[in-house]
Amino acid sequence: MEIRLDAADPQQMPPKDTFVALRIGDVQKQSRFTSSRTYRFPHPGDYRADFGRIEVFQRVGHVTVSFENVSKNEDIEVPCELGDLKSLKLRMGMNREGQKPVTPSTKQRTAKARLDAAQKYLVNHHLEEILADAMREVLHEKPSDPHSFLANQIMKHAAPKPVPISGMATTQANDETTDVEVLRMEARDALLRAAGDGSLEPALTDAKAEST
């Protein structure tokens, strides 16, 4: 089954973090709202093929979590915008019973340590969310200069660096150029690390799906 949803009035678009979910039978598909979206479903095989359910959501917060050292009760704080509520506190637990223990080799442990360090770096600096949001924006806007557009999207999240007053007038231009280059290098390294451990692939797959 193939269902297409089009915006009846393209001039009245909702906020960018608006999502539309369509459910038919036991299958639900959700994506960012765009002017046109096509959904493909397997036939449910019964009367449920005659109707579906559309739901509209708006993302108010998100955070990346690691399952590496999850205890039975680990507190998580999700930054969000819910009126006066600026964060949502959750408690996450994981049951690993039934998993077969694996004894990794020295090479595997070394590779895992590198990937863990890369993942920790991504999580600590929120790079996965920043890069994923930047990719979604560039695919949504389709600017003529995507490289500069991506750089500007990433720079929105860069913390300003203090500049000594005595050298502010003469170094401001050079500092701005240096900041951009450093950030581009960090973004490149982060992409390489994320590609290495597979953490970026789901975000990019989702971003590409949203652009079609």
Side-chain angles (χ1 to χ4, degrees), residues 133-156 184:
D133 286 342
M135 287 295 296
R136 292 189 185 99
E137 287 301 314
V138 75
L139 291 174
H140 181 265
E141 298 294 336
K142 295 180 176 62
S144 58
D145 185 359
H147 302 90
S148 297
F149 185 89
L150 278 172
N152 291 332
Q153 290 295 315
I154 295 173
M155 281 296 293
K156 291 179 180 178
R184 286 176 177 171

mmCIF file of all heavy atoms in Angstrom, residues 133-156 184:
data_model
loop_
_atom_site.group_PDB
_atom_site.id
_atom_site.type_symbol
_atom_site.label_atom_id
_atom_site.label_comp_id
_atom_site.label_asym_id
_atom_site.label_seq_id
_atom_site.Cartn_x
_atom_site.Cartn_y
_atom_site.Cartn_z
ATOM 1 N N ASP A 133 20.814 17.363 12.952
ATOM 2 C CA ASP A 133 19.933 18.521 12.716
ATOM 3 C C ASP A 133 20.430 19.350 11.532
ATOM 4 O O ASP A 133 19.633 19.837 10.719
ATOM 5 C CB ASP A 133 19.868 19.399 13.967
ATOM 6 C CG ASP A 133 19.016 18.770 15.065
ATOM 7 O OD1 ASP A 133 18.236 17.864 14.744
ATOM 8 O OD2 ASP A 133 19.142 19.196 16.228
ATOM 9 N N ALA A 134 21.761 19.518 11.438
ATOM 10 C CA ALA A 134 22.312 20.283 10.315
ATOM 11 C C ALA A 134 22.026 19.584 8.993
ATOM 12 O O ALA A 134 21.689 20.232 7.996
ATOM 13 C CB ALA A 134 23.824 20.479 10.507
ATOM 14 N N MET A 135 22.144 18.242 8.973
ATOM 15 C CA MET A 135 21.858 17.494 7.749
ATOM 16 C C MET A 135 20.385 17.621 7.369
ATOM 17 O O MET A 135 20.048 17.788 6.195
ATOM 18 C CB MET A 135 22.222 16.020 7.945
ATOM 19 C CG MET A 135 23.714 15.743 7.955
ATOM 20 S SD MET A 135 24.483 16.096 6.350
ATOM 21 C CE MET A 135 23.663 14.894 5.313
ATOM 22 N N ARG A 136 19.508 17.546 8.367
ATOM 23 C CA ARG A 136 18.080 17.688 8.066
ATOM 24 C C ARG A 136 17.777 19.065 7.492
ATOM 25 O O ARG A 136 16.991 19.207 6.549
ATOM 26 C CB ARG A 136 17.248 17.452 9.335
ATOM 27 C CG ARG A 136 17.286 16.025 9.848
ATOM 28 C CD ARG A 136 16.273 15.825 10.972
ATOM 29 N NE ARG A 136 16.389 14.503 11.551
ATOM 30 C CZ ARG A 136 17.037 14.226 12.670
ATOM 31 N NH1 ARG A 136 17.627 15.202 13.332
ATOM 32 N NH2 ARG A 136 17.092 12.995 13.142
ATOM 33 N N GLU A 137 18.404 20.090 8.072
ATOM 34 C CA GLU A 137 18.162 21.453 7.603
ATOM 35 C C GLU A 137 18.658 21.649 6.177
ATOM 36 O O GLU A 137 17.977 22.271 5.355
ATOM 37 C CB GLU A 137 18.848 22.459 8.544
ATOM 38 C CG GLU A 137 18.168 22.615 9.886
ATOM 39 C CD GLU A 137 16.731 23.085 9.753
ATOM 40 O OE1 GLU A 137 16.484 24.027 8.972
ATOM 41 O OE2 GLU A 137 15.855 22.491 10.388
ATOM 42 N N VAL A 138 19.845 21.127 5.865
ATOM 43 C CA VAL A 138 20.379 21.329 4.519
ATOM 44 C C VAL A 138 19.557 20.551 3.489
ATOM 45 O O VAL A 138 19.358 21.011 2.360
ATOM 46 C CB VAL A 138 21.879 20.939 4.448
ATOM 47 C CG1 VAL A 138 22.068 19.437 4.442
ATOM 48 C CG2 VAL A 138 22.528 21.544 3.208
ATOM 49 N N LEU A 139 19.046 19.376 3.871
ATOM 50 C CA LEU A 139 18.210 18.612 2.950
ATOM 51 C C LEU A 139 16.837 19.252 2.793
ATOM 52 O O LEU A 139 16.215 19.149 1.740
ATOM 53 C CB LEU A 139 18.068 17.169 3.446
ATOM 54 C CG LEU A 139 19.348 16.328 3.383
ATOM 55 C CD1 LEU A 139 19.139 14.973 4.041
ATOM 56 C CD2 LEU A 139 19.786 16.134 1.937
ATOM 57 N N HIS A 140 16.378 19.919 3.852
ATOM 58 C CA HIS A 140 15.082 20.595 3.777
ATOM 59 C C HIS A 140 15.165 21.885 2.970
ATOM 60 O O HIS A 140 14.310 22.176 2.126
ATOM 61 C CB HIS A 140 14.576 20.874 5.190
ATOM 62 C CG HIS A 140 13.231 21.545 5.224
ATOM 63 N ND1 HIS A 140 13.091 22.911 5.321
ATOM 64 C CD2 HIS A 140 11.967 21.049 5.159
ATOM 65 C CE1 HIS A 140 11.804 23.222 5.319
ATOM 66 N NE2 HIS A 140 11.103 22.115 5.222
ATOM 67 N N GLU A 141 16.222 22.674 3.219
ATOM 68 C CA GLU A 141 16.354 23.973 2.563
ATOM 69 C C GLU A 141 16.970 23.871 1.169
ATOM 70 O O GLU A 141 16.699 24.694 0.305
ATOM 71 C CB GLU A 141 17.210 24.906 3.430
ATOM 72 C CG GLU A 141 16.614 25.201 4.805
ATOM 73 C CD GLU A 141 15.326 25.990 4.715
ATOM 74 O OE1 GLU A 141 15.119 26.682 3.704
ATOM 75 O OE2 GLU A 141 14.529 25.910 5.671
ATOM 76 N N LYS A 142 17.867 22.868 0.974
ATOM 77 C CA LYS A 142 18.578 22.675 -0.294
ATOM 78 C C LYS A 142 19.230 23.974 -0.782
ATOM 79 O O LYS A 142 18.920 24.484 -1.864
ATOM 80 C CB LYS A 142 17.633 22.126 -1.361
ATOM 81 C CG LYS A 142 17.100 20.727 -1.063
ATOM 82 C CD LYS A 142 16.173 20.240 -2.164
ATOM 83 C CE LYS A 142 15.722 18.812 -1.892
ATOM 84 N NZ LYS A 142 14.965 18.681 -0.641
ATOM 85 N N PRO A 143 20.138 24.544 0.010
ATOM 86 C CA PRO A 143 20.775 25.816 -0.375
ATOM 87 C C PRO A 143 21.739 25.621 -1.542
ATOM 88 O O PRO A 143 22.218 24.504 -1.797
ATOM 89 C CB PRO A 143 21.531 26.220 0.900
ATOM 90 C CG PRO A 143 21.844 24.924 1.560
ATOM 91 C CD PRO A 143 20.662 24.030 1.285
ATOM 92 N N SER A 144 22.034 26.708 -2.244
ATOM 93 C CA SER A 144 22.957 26.637 -3.378
ATOM 94 C C SER A 144 24.389 26.374 -2.918
ATOM 95 O O SER A 144 25.194 25.826 -3.661
ATOM 96 C CB SER A 144 22.900 27.940 -4.193
ATOM 97 O OG SER A 144 23.223 29.054 -3.355
ATOM 98 N N ASP A 145 24.713 26.803 -1.702
ATOM 99 C CA ASP A 145 26.049 26.565 -1.136
ATOM 100 C C ASP A 145 25.885 25.730 0.139
ATOM 101 O O ASP A 145 25.882 26.265 1.252
ATOM 102 C CB ASP A 145 26.726 27.900 -0.815
ATOM 103 C CG ASP A 145 28.169 27.724 -0.342
ATOM 104 O OD1 ASP A 145 28.629 26.565 -0.249
ATOM 105 O OD2 ASP A 145 28.835 28.739 -0.058
ATOM 106 N N PRO A 146 25.746 24.400 -0.002
ATOM 107 C CA PRO A 146 25.478 23.565 1.180
ATOM 108 C C PRO A 146 26.615 23.554 2.185
ATOM 109 O O PRO A 146 26.378 23.386 3.375
ATOM 110 C CB PRO A 146 25.251 22.173 0.575
ATOM 111 C CG PRO A 146 25.957 22.205 -0.739
ATOM 112 C CD PRO A 146 25.823 23.605 -1.238
ATOM 113 N N HIS A 147 27.868 23.739 1.723
ATOM 114 C CA HIS A 147 29.002 23.687 2.648
ATOM 115 C C HIS A 147 28.951 24.858 3.630
ATOM 116 O O HIS A 147 29.108 24.682 4.843
ATOM 117 C CB HIS A 147 30.318 23.690 1.872
ATOM 118 C CG HIS A 147 30.439 22.559 0.892
ATOM 119 N ND1 HIS A 147 30.000 22.668 -0.417
ATOM 120 C CD2 HIS A 147 30.915 21.294 1.024
ATOM 121 C CE1 HIS A 147 30.218 21.537 -1.052
ATOM 122 N NE2 HIS A 147 30.768 20.679 -0.197
ATOM 123 N N SER A 148 28.737 26.058 3.111
ATOM 124 C CA SER A 148 28.633 27.222 3.991
ATOM 125 C C SER A 148 27.397 27.130 4.876
ATOM 126 O O SER A 148 27.422 27.512 6.050
ATOM 127 C CB SER A 148 28.584 28.509 3.158
ATOM 128 O OG SER A 148 29.776 28.685 2.428
ATOM 129 N N PHE A 149 26.303 26.608 4.306
ATOM 130 C CA PHE A 149 25.072 26.457 5.082
ATOM 131 C C PHE A 149 25.299 25.522 6.265
ATOM 132 O O PHE A 149 24.899 25.820 7.395
ATOM 133 C CB PHE A 149 23.958 25.916 4.183
ATOM 134 C CG PHE A 149 22.611 25.829 4.858
ATOM 135 C CD1 PHE A 149 21.740 26.901 4.845
ATOM 136 C CD2 PHE A 149 22.235 24.665 5.504
ATOM 137 C CE1 PHE A 149 20.503 26.820 5.469
ATOM 138 C CE2 PHE A 149 21.006 24.571 6.135
ATOM 139 C CZ PHE A 149 20.139 25.652 6.119
ATOM 140 N N LEU A 150 25.962 24.375 6.007
ATOM 141 C CA LEU A 150 26.251 23.431 7.087
ATOM 142 C C LEU A 150 27.155 24.057 8.144
ATOM 143 O O LEU A 150 26.950 23.876 9.354
ATOM 144 C CB LEU A 150 26.913 22.175 6.518
ATOM 145 C CG LEU A 150 25.982 21.123 5.909
ATOM 146 C CD1 LEU A 150 26.785 20.044 5.211
ATOM 147 C CD2 LEU A 150 25.099 20.502 6.984
ATOM 148 N N ALA A 151 28.183 24.783 7.676
ATOM 149 C CA ALA A 151 29.103 25.434 8.620
ATOM 150 C C ALA A 151 28.351 26.422 9.507
ATOM 151 O O ALA A 151 28.580 26.479 10.721
ATOM 152 C CB ALA A 151 30.227 26.139 7.867
ATOM 153 N N ASN A 152 27.436 27.178 8.924
ATOM 154 C CA ASN A 152 26.667 28.154 9.700
ATOM 155 C C ASN A 152 25.736 27.463 10.695
ATOM 156 O O ASN A 152 25.563 27.940 11.824
ATOM 157 C CB ASN A 152 25.855 29.063 8.773
ATOM 158 C CG ASN A 152 26.738 29.995 7.966
ATOM 159 O OD1 ASN A 152 27.823 30.356 8.401
ATOM 160 N ND2 ASN A 152 26.275 30.386 6.784
ATOM 161 N N GLN A 153 25.133 26.343 10.271
ATOM 162 C CA GLN A 153 24.262 25.602 11.181
ATOM 163 C C GLN A 153 25.045 25.074 12.373
ATOM 164 O O GLN A 153 24.580 25.137 13.517
ATOM 165 C CB GLN A 153 23.592 24.430 10.443
ATOM 166 C CG GLN A 153 22.552 24.829 9.424
ATOM 167 C CD GLN A 153 21.349 25.503 10.049
ATOM 168 O OE1 GLN A 153 20.828 25.049 11.056
ATOM 169 N NE2 GLN A 153 20.906 26.613 9.469
ATOM 170 N N ILE A 154 26.246 24.570 12.130
ATOM 171 C CA ILE A 154 27.074 24.034 13.216
ATOM 172 C C ILE A 154 27.574 25.159 14.108
ATOM 173 O O ILE A 154 27.648 25.026 15.337
ATOM 174 C CB ILE A 154 28.248 23.223 12.633
ATOM 175 C CG1 ILE A 154 27.717 21.991 11.885
ATOM 176 C CG2 ILE A 154 29.206 22.774 13.745
ATOM 177 C CD1 ILE A 154 28.778 21.224 11.124
ATOM 178 N N MET A 155 27.928 26.312 13.508
ATOM 179 C CA MET A 155 28.452 27.435 14.280
ATOM 180 C C MET A 155 27.431 27.979 15.273
ATOM 181 O O MET A 155 27.794 28.602 16.272
ATOM 182 C CB MET A 155 28.896 28.552 13.336
ATOM 183 C CG MET A 155 30.254 28.314 12.679
ATOM 184 S SD MET A 155 31.587 28.268 13.888
ATOM 185 C CE MET A 155 31.569 29.971 14.457
ATOM 186 N N LYS A 156 26.139 27.744 15.022
ATOM 187 C CA LYS A 156 25.117 28.217 15.957
ATOM 188 C C LYS A 156 25.277 27.581 17.329
ATOM 189 O O LYS A 156 24.837 28.129 18.328
ATOM 190 C CB LYS A 156 23.718 27.904 15.403
ATOM 191 C CG LYS A 156 23.337 28.706 14.175
ATOM 192 C CD LYS A 156 21.957 28.317 13.688
ATOM 193 C CE LYS A 156 21.552 29.103 12.444
ATOM 194 N NZ LYS A 156 20.221 28.703 11.938
ATOM 195 N N ARG A 184 35.223 23.172 11.592
ATOM 196 C CA ARG A 184 35.097 22.283 10.442
ATOM 197 C C ARG A 184 35.944 21.027 10.618
ATOM 198 O O ARG A 184 35.524 19.921 10.283
ATOM 199 C CB ARG A 184 35.513 23.023 9.166
ATOM 200 C CG ARG A 184 34.473 24.040 8.689
ATOM 201 C CD ARG A 184 34.965 24.820 7.490
ATOM 202 N NE ARG A 184 33.958 25.737 6.999
ATOM 203 C CZ ARG A 184 34.183 26.656 6.081
ATOM 204 N NH1 ARG A 184 35.379 26.794 5.540
ATOM 205 N NH2 ARG A 184 33.208 27.462 5.681
#
